[in-house]
Each structure stands twice: as C-alpha cells, then as structure tokens.
Amino acid sequence: MHPESRYKRTRRAVYNLTVHVVFVSKYRRSVFTKEMLVRLSEVFESVASSWESEVIQFNGEEEHVHLLLSYPPHKLLSSLIANLKATSSKTMWREFEPTLAPVYKKKVLWTGSYFVSSCGGVTIDRLKVYIQEQECPDSSHR
C-alpha cells in the first residue's frame, strides 16, 4: 500500500483520524443476539456514512460492541458518538422490542458513557522522535 493512500482528503485537510469505540449495554445486561448485532452494524454504518465517516470494523458480544471508526476533522467526535448511540437505541427498540422489553423497564439500551481511544499508524514514541528530528531554521536566515 502506498503510504499516502491511508490518508483521506477534504478541501482544507489531509487526515487519518481513526478511533476505537466501545458501547456497553445499560446495566451491562446480556441483550444482544447475533441478529441484533448484524442490525447494529447496519445502523452504525448508515449513521457514519451520513456523518462523512466510516465504520472500518464492527463486532460485539452479548453486552457490548466495538467499532473501529474513521471520521473527518470537521466533525465533532462526541456528537457523532451521541448520534450513533441515539439512532441505534431507537432502531433496536423499534425492531427488537419483544427482546428488549423483558430486560429493561424504560426504553434504554446503552450506558451513558462510552470508551474511545485514538488509533494511528505509528506509536506516540515514534511521532515524538519524528518531531524532534525536524530541522529547526537557522536564526541567520532572518
């Protein structure tokens, strides 16, 4: 793969913003079936697309899901995450209420919190070395 191909472009930016996101079911209840995880993947992909973003990878277990998400710099990550959670919760309740209703008294799906970690092609230590190795302009060139 050509090194430049991992970067995306907008009119004003060249970027590669990727994060690992984890959502946990409310009270960490084991509610997700395989069918629900398939549908969650579709919902997340649809929401991400509408935000000019991309779900690179998705998977989950009975009580939590993982997303590897790429997004542009002009989008606010916390707002994107809030939209992913809200839309998926509404969709799951609309389509899987018989499965969710015995578990939850209210129409909730996710905890109020989430996990997010930035991901990149190089380590922070390598970036520090790269920045330190930049040539500083000589003061005589002023």
Side-chain angles (χ1 to χ4, degrees), residues 11-65:
R11 222 176 95 199
R12 297 178 183 231
V14 177
Y15 68 95
N16 178 12
L17 295 174
T18 306
V19 290
H20 173 209
V21 181
V22 179
F23 299 150
V24 178
S25 64
K26 187 78 169 179
Y27 311 119
R28 208 165 180 92
R29 300 273 166 81
S30 296
V31 293
F32 301 126
T33 63
K34 185 174 182 178
E35 181 184 11
M36 291 172 81
L37 291 173
V38 168
R39 185 64 178 122
L40 278 170
S41 177
E42 295 167 353
V43 171
F44 290 144
E45 287 175 15
S46 175
V47 170
S49 177
S50 71
W51 279 71
E52 302 170 45
S53 302
E54 177 187 6
V55 175
I56 298 167
Q57 189 73 44
F58 170 84
N59 206 349
E61 295 183 13
E62 292 178 335
E63 79 289 336
H64 71 278
V65 298

Side-chain angles (χ1 to χ4, degrees), residues 14-134:
V14 177
Y15 68 95
N16 178 12
L17 295 174
T18 306
V19 290
H20 173 209
V21 181
V22 179
F23 299 150
V24 178
S25 64
K26 187 78 169 179
Y27 311 119
R28 208 165 180 92
R29 300 273 166 81
S30 296
V31 293
F32 301 126
T33 63
K34 185 174 182 178
E35 181 184 11
M36 291 172 81
L37 291 173
V38 168
R39 185 64 178 122
L40 278 170
S41 177
E42 295 167 353
V43 171
F44 290 144
E45 287 175 15
S46 175
V47 170
S49 177
S50 71
W51 279 71
E52 302 170 45
S53 302
E54 177 187 6
V55 175
I56 298 167
Q57 189 73 44
F58 170 84
N59 206 349
E61 295 183 13
E62 292 178 335
E63 79 289 336
H64 71 278
V65 298
H66 294 262
L67 295 96
L68 191 58
L69 185 64
S70 172
Y71 67 100
H74 61 276
K75 298 295 182 181
L76 187 61
L77 180 60
S78 59
S79 296
L80 170 56
I81 287 174
N83 195 239
L84 287 164
K85 289 173 75 173
T87 303
S88 62
S89 182
K90 288 174 190 170
T91 302
M92 292 292 101
W93 270 97
R94 186 174 55 248
E95 297 179 15
F96 296 96
E97 186 165 355
T99 303
L100 295 171
V103 179
Y104 297 114
K105 291 182 174 123
K106 296 181 181 178
K107 289 194 174 185
V108 297
L109 183 62
W110 306 113
T111 62
S113 59
Y114 58 88
F115 169 85
V116 64
S117 177
S118 61
C119 307
V122 296
T123 65
I124 290 173
D125 289 336
R126 182 66 200 123
L127 282 173
K128 285 180 181 178
V129 169
Y130 174 76
I131 292 168
Q132 288 171 351
E133 291 175 350
Q134 297 300 296

